[in-house]
Amino acid sequence: YDAKAKLSTLNAFLDWSPLGPFRISAGVIGNNNKVDLTGTPRNPSFAGTTVTGTVEPEHSVSPYLGVGYGNVWTKGVNFYFDLGVIFQGSPKVSLNCAPAGSPQCSQIAAERQRVQDELNRFKYYPVLNLGITIGF
């Protein structure tokens, strides 16, 4: 498969800073990430057949938990980093086959299940943020 990722998220976090610049963050992420798939079977008897599809997260709004370091709310130039995880659930796969109705496309359900089984272990999406803030 050739894959093209489209990443789009919206974050809402609350930070707790028990030790100065060290913080723990929790919140929700509107997760509109998507991967478009295009594939052609390797078997020569399937020549002219194209498989397209998408992979999307199970939940469009997912919880987030992370840790970070840096003061993002103080005056001056500040550096920060965050390391966390989005609990997105198992990605969901949809596949289509063209030309529709061809005998080669009769195996599309089995292929979709094979891809789904491969992706079921990706329930957690890692997040790394590095940044600079300027406070006034």
Side-chain angles (χ1 to χ4, degrees):
Y1 290 98
D2 289 325
K4 185 175 185 182
K6 296 177 182 177
L7 304 177
S8 174
T9 59
L10 179 64
N11 310 328
F13 299 149
L14 290 175
D15 292 338
W16 179 54
S17 298
L19 301 170
F22 174 78
R23 67 182 176 282
I24 299 170
S25 301
V28 295
I29 294 185
N31 189 351
N32 196 27
N33 295 337
K34 179 174 132 178
V35 178
D36 291 323
L37 303 172
T38 304
T40 53
R42 293 182 189 158
N43 187 333
S45 65
F46 288 83
T49 303
T50 303
V51 177
T52 59
T54 59
V55 177
E56 297 178 302
E58 181 178 7
H59 307 294
S60 60
V61 177
S62 303
Y64 170 87
L65 185 61
V67 295
Y69 188 84
N71 293 319
V72 296
W73 56 85
T74 58
K75 287 185 179 183
V77 176
N78 302 287
F79 299 92
Y80 71 91
F81 78 87
D82 292 294
L83 183 61
V85 64
I86 302 172
F87 301 91
Q88 69 177 3
S90 296
K92 298 299 175 193
V93 177
S94 65
L95 291 179
N96 300 300
C97 184
S102 69
Q104 295 87 345
C105 289
S106 64
Q107 298 177 20
I108 194 68
E111 176 63 9
R112 191 207 65 78
Q113 188 60 52
R114 185 192 71 76
V115 174
Q116 182 69 58
D117 291 344
E118 291 274 329
L119 295 176
N120 279 340
R121 60 188 166 139
F122 295 102
K123 295 179 183 182
Y124 311 104
Y125 190 88
V127 176
L128 173 65
N129 287 316
L130 303 171
I132 299 173
T133 62
I134 301 174
F136 299 98

